[in-house]
């Protein structure tokens, strides 16, 4: 009975995911598409929770649906509301595409079922459990991200950096928003400090419970998004020269720790016993700042137009 | 006994959600839709959180749930206000 | 614990961060990091020569749970090539960007691109490779858009969407591999893969993602506009290095990891696509009106050759016969890397001096820019495959081996491709040596003219005359006496 | 009963292909970005389903795919930001 209920709920969630995903990409109305996509992201967060991946549920809600949604909504301001289809699709072309898609789905599904059947019980979960005691943290996802596969995370910070540098190289920010009404203004006044506290909490708690640098950074960035929506043009970001340092901080500390350990005779990013937890927290703190500044700059869309924030200036303006 | 009360609260809360969603789909204009949505959702969520708080078994969790509800209240009040104001400015009441 | 392998990744990354925080000193950070990266690439190559292969298990965790960096002859050779090309291009770039803001935008992204390339070449972990592919892709797109012209932006948008689809296909394959074999480490995986559905579909997905990124015909459509509209130093890196990185991964997957899951028909199919690419790319290059577009289409063709090598390679008997083809393949990839970067840098000089790169109006270039024209001619020799370039030896070996394994089909393709290449190179030179005032007055401009010339000399003379060393470097056990091209 | 990893794994495959199809079909950049994100979400769902296999018997599901997907989500949002910025510049260059 219980198992049947779970299966029914799973099927319902799966059907809703497919339906929303389909609706988000099938509509010609972009505004609608973006709204549906944000709803899709929230539903996806529910799916992560269902599949016992709370770290992902947090990240999806904050980054996948939250910040990506904010970015898409901001982009809608400049886009025409309705889109035309790409190059005139002939009926035959459309059918070929549909046929190929179905074929692809069937083949990948078949391979996935075969792979699931083959791989049960021999993946890396056991190895993680065996070594988590030496990792310095007790949240297994954080252990994988910041210790076992820390090198992935290092390069991932570089990915964020390259995307943001690409955005910055494309020119100055778009214009900001008007002044907020009393209700939004009031909300922002007490929500922003709350978000900052929450970010700190997420960063700290990541060592033993769901959370960590990415969720914390995204939460800080959400505060910046709110500030900008509330009429603060620069979204609380410091002057360009300082922002550059903050952007680099995560990678500088990460590399610095890794290479210093190598210099001290350990391997690159091989944390000495007993120090792992502390070093991971240091790395994560710097990474949180970098991620927050990067995501906030990506949302603002470039260096702010207002006066002293051009790349070459070293003087910080203030609000 | 506590379980029973909790389940009743949660089911009632879900009922409010359902009514709110029907209102969102069926009511004629933006303001009444907003009205249905915010009232029903806030009350519905309140009842659901109350029910789950009873089931949670620890005070700390219950307080966290209460905080979540308060946050959602604030956010939904603000967003409803924004939507209404935007509609008012644009004169788009549908 | 040998930490050497992290430095080719770490040094450009440090340079990038320095260039980011000190935009006014970005040139120095860029050149310094490039020189340092070249030096450690040399050290890696020297170590590979001594030990055949190197491994660094990052964090001290067994590969599988952790990530391993690995270097062997193939990756070390490509690492050395890419850091050399990167240094020459960086020197060129110091004189290319005149606007201080552009310069400050260029250097951090450029060094991130080099970081990604080196990380990709050294990575031994499939998911880590996905991350490096995304880093490479995003940095490349950002650099390609740096000119901010409408054409460049359009090309960058297409480059990005196509690249993202390629990465997602690759990632899906990685997921299947993890589900089936429970590991992401490539050398662990090599011992476990068998011929079965999960392996086939995973390989097919990863390969198709990489084919998109390596612009194999008919997935080449995004390349010419992206490469032709980027700033010259960027074009050089994109064409010489970035496209090749995707091919390198195909090679790794097919030869080292999934070799037991492969049928001969699969490689044949890639070979046929490669053959189409050779003919189509060369033809479009011949018809191109702009020098940079010609160079971009020529890349489509040259990537085609690399894929033609695959069926011949896999059909050759393991041992000396296969090693000969493999060495030729690496030689071809290296030579093209140097030649194409030289060609793009030369084209960049012409474009900057003349204000355009329309081939029909290049008259007088040889008189105004003798060094650059000479560089273009040398690079052209390598692109055609004339002696003494490395390409000549590589194509010769390819044809000899094709005959040996009975795959006659490729011979006319290679011949036709070379003829067409001759036609498009001599078309450029014909105009360049012709009369006219297409290009401004002659000036000594060493920082911009010399890098191209040096790269072209490496492609034509050094790799051609030193080919034996390339062979013995990438296939350590090979008897040198066996090579009689 | 049908195990959750199979239900959500197949849902992931479905989202992957429908996102892929939509990316090839759409003309406007924003629509393509939405489609690519849906496509990516499908791939992530496959990973998390794989992690969930056998989770009933374990204290936690396999954390490695979770970490990989977290990386993937961040990469996806970075790419989205860059794509949107390119799109905005492109529109401005059309207006100029």
């Amino acid at each position: 009975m219980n198992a049947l209920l779970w299966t029914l709920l799973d099927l319902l969630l799966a059907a809703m995911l497919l339906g929303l995903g389909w609706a988000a990409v099938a509509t010609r109305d972009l505004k609608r598409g973006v709204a549906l996509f944000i709803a899709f992201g929230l539903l996806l967060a529910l799916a992560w929770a269902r599949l016992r991946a709370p770290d992902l549920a947090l990240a999806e809600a904050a980054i996948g649906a939250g910040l990506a949604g904010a970015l898409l909504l901001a982009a809608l301001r400049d886009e025409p509301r309705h889109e035309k289809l790409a190059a005139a699709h002939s009926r035959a072309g459309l059918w070929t595409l549909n046929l190929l898609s179905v074929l692809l789905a069937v083949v990948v599904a078949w391979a996935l079922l075969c792979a699931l059947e083959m791989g049960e019980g021999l993946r890396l979960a056991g190895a993680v459990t065996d070594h988590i005691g030496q990792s310095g943290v007790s949240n297994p996802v954080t252990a994988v991200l910041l210790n076992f596969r820390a090198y992935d995370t290092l390069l991932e910070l570089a990915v964020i950096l390259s995307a943001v540098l690409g955005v910055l190289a494309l020119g100055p920010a778009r214009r900001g928003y008007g002044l907020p009404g009393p209700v939004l203004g009031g909300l922002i006044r007490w929500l922003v400090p709350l978000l900052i506290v929450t970010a700190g909490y997420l960063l700290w708690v990541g060592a033993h419970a769901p959370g960590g640098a990415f969720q914390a950074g995204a939460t800080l960035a959400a505060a910046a998004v709110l500030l900008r929506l509330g009429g603060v043009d620069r979204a609380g970001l410091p002057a360009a020269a300082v922002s550059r340092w903050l952007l680099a901080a995560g990678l500088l500390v990460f590399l610095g720790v890794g290479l210093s350990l190598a210099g001290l005779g350990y391997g690159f990013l091989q944390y000495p016993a007993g120090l792992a937890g502390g070093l991971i927290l240091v790395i994560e703190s710097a990474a949180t700042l970098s991620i927050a500044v990067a995501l906030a700059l990506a949302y603002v869309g470039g260096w702010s137009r207002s006066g002293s924030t051009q790349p070459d200036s070293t003087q910080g303006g203030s609000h | 006994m506590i379980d029973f009360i909790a389940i009743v609260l949660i089911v009632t809360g879900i009922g409010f959600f359902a009514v709110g969603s029907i209102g969102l789909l069926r009511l004629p204009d933006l303001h009444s839709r907003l009205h249905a949505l915010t009232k029903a959702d806030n009350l519905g969520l309140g009842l659901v959180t109350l029910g789950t708080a009873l089931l949670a078994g620890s005070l700390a969790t219950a307080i966290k749930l209460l905080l979540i509800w308060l946050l959602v209240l604030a956010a939904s009040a603000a967003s409803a206000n924004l939507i209404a104001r935007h509609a008012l400015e644009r004169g788009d009441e549908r | 614990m040998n930490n050497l392998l992290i430095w080719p990744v770490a040094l450009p990354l440090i340079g990038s961060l320095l260039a980011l925080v000190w935009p006014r000193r970005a040139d120095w950070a860029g050149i310094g990091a490039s020189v340092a990266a070249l030096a450690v690439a040399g050290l890696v190559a020297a170590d590979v020569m001594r030990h055949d292969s190197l491994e660094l298990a990052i964090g001290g965790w067994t590969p599988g749970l952790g990530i391993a960096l690995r270097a062997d002859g193939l990756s070390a050779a490509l690492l050395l090539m890419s850091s050399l090309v990167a240094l020459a291009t960086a020197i060129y770039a110091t004189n290319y960007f005149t606007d201080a803001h552009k310069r400050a935008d260029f250097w951090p992204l450029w060094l991130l691109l080099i970081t990604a390339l080196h990380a990709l070449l050294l990575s031994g972990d499939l998911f880590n490779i996905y991350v490096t592919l995304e880093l490479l892709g995003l940095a490349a797109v950002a650099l390609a858009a740096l000119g901010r012209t409408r054409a460049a932006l359009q090309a960058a948008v297409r480059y990005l969407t196509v690249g993202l689809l390629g990465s997602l296909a690759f990632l899906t394959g990685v997921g299947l591999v993890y589900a089936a074999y429970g590991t992401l480490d490539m050398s662990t995986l090599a011992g476990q893969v068998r011929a079965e559905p999960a392996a086939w579909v995973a390989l097919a997905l990863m390969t198709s993602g990489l084919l998109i990124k390596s612009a194999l015909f008919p997935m080449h459509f995004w390349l010419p506009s992206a490469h032709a509209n980027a700033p010259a130093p960027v074009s050089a890196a994109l064409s010489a290095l970035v496209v090749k990185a995707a091919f390198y991964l195909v090679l790794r997957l097919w030869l080292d990891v999934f070799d037991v899951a492969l049928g001969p028909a699969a490689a044949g199919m890639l070979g046929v696509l490669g053959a189409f690419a050779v003919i189509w790319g060369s033809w479009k290059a011949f018809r191109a009106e702009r020098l940079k577009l010609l160079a971009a289409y020529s890349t489509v063709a040259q990537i085609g050759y690399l894929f033609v090598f695959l069926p011949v390679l896999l059909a050759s008997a393991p041992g000396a016969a296969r090693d000969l083809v493999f060495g030729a393949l690496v030689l071809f990839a290296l030579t093209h890397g140097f030649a194409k970067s030289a060609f793009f840098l030369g084209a960049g000089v012409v474009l900057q001096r003349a204000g355009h790169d329309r081939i029909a109006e290049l008259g007088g270039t040889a008189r105004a820019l003798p060094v650059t024209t000479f560089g273009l001619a040398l690079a052209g020799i390598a692109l055609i495959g004339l002696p003494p370039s490395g390409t000549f030896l590589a194509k010769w070996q390819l044809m000899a081996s094709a005959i040996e394994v009975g795959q006659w089909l490729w011979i006319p393709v290679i011949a036709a491709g070379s003829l067409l290449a001759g036609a498009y190179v001599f078309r450029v030179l014909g105009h360049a040596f012709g009369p006219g005032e297409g290009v401004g007055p002659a000036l000594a401009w060493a920082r911009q003219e010399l890098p191209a010339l040096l790269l072209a000399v490496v492609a034509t003379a050094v790799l051609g005359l030193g080919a034996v060393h390339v062979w013995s470097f990438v296939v350590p056990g090979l008897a040198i006496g066996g090579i009689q091209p | 009963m049908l195990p959750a990893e199979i239900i959500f794994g197949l849902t992931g495959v479905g989202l992957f292909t429908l996102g892929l199809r939509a990316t090839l079909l759409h003309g406007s950049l924003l629509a393509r970005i939405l489609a690519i994100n849906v496509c990516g979400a499908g791939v992530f769902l496959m990973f998390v389903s794989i992690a969930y296999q056998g989770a009933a018997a374990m204290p936690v599901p396999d954390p490695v795919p979770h970490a990989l997907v977290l990386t993937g989500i961040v990469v996806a949002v970075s790419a989205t930001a860059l794509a949107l910025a390119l799109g905005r510049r492109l529109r401005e260059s059309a207006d100029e």
Side-chain angles (χ1 to χ4, degrees), chain A residues 31 81 179-184 187 190-191 194 201, chain B residues 64 70-71 74-75 77-79 81-82 85-86 90:
Chain A
K31 206 170 188 177
R81 200 177 147 157
L179 288 174
V183 176
L184 181 62
L187 182 75
W190 71 266
L191 211 50
L194 188 69
Y201 171 75
Chain B
K64 275 184 206 161
L70 285 176
L71 262 177
S79 50
N81 170 271
L82 280 179
R85 214 167 64 124
H86 186 69
R90 288 233 316 229

Side-chain angles (χ1 to χ4, degrees), chain D residues 1-80:
Chain D
M1 285 301 103
L2 215 47
E5 66 266 20
I6 297 214
I7 296 176
F8 288 104
L10 294 182
T11 308
V13 175
L15 288 170
F16 169 68
T17 34
L18 83 86
L20 188 64
R21 175 186 168 279
T23 315
L24 299 176
L25 198 63
H26 283 293
S28 98
L29 176 65
L30 195 63
R32 278 189 185 195
I33 294 171
L34 283 181
I36 289 178
N37 272 297
V38 169
C39 187
V43 183
F44 300 156
L45 196 53
M46 280 170 63
F47 271 87
V48 179
S49 302
I50 293 163
Y52 189 74
Q53 189 178 29
M58 291 186 282
V60 286
D62 185 352
V64 174
H66 291 182
L68 306 185
V69 170
L70 195 52
T71 305
I73 290 176
V74 176
V75 168
V77 82
S78 308
T80 302

Side-chain angles (χ1 to χ4, degrees), chain C residues 65 127 130-131 134 137-139 141-142 145 148-150 153-154 156-158 160-162 164-165 168-169 171-172 174-176 178-179 184 205, chain D residues 16 20 23-24 29 32 36 39-40 43-44 46-47 50 53 62 64-65 67-69 71-72 75 78-79 82-83 86-87 89-91 93-94:
Chain C
L65 177 62
F127 185 81
Y130 162 76
V131 182
E134 291 284 29
L138 292 190
V141 166
R148 285 202 221 166
T149 60
R150 192 163 168 71
L153 289 169
Q154 269 167 339
V157 162
R158 190 151 53 155
L160 179 59
T161 44
V162 167
L164 287 175
L165 282 185
L168 281 177
L171 185 61
T172 313
V174 174
L176 288 178
Y178 185 71
L184 297 164
L205 283 167
Chain D
F16 169 68
L20 188 64
T23 315
L24 299 176
L29 176 65
R32 278 189 185 195
I36 289 178
C39 187
V43 183
F44 300 156
M46 280 170 63
F47 271 87
I50 293 163
Q53 189 178 29
D62 185 352
V64 174
L68 306 185
V69 170
T71 305
V75 168
S78 308
L82 181 58
L86 283 170
R89 259 285 147 189
L90 200 54
R91 179 157 302 286
S93 82

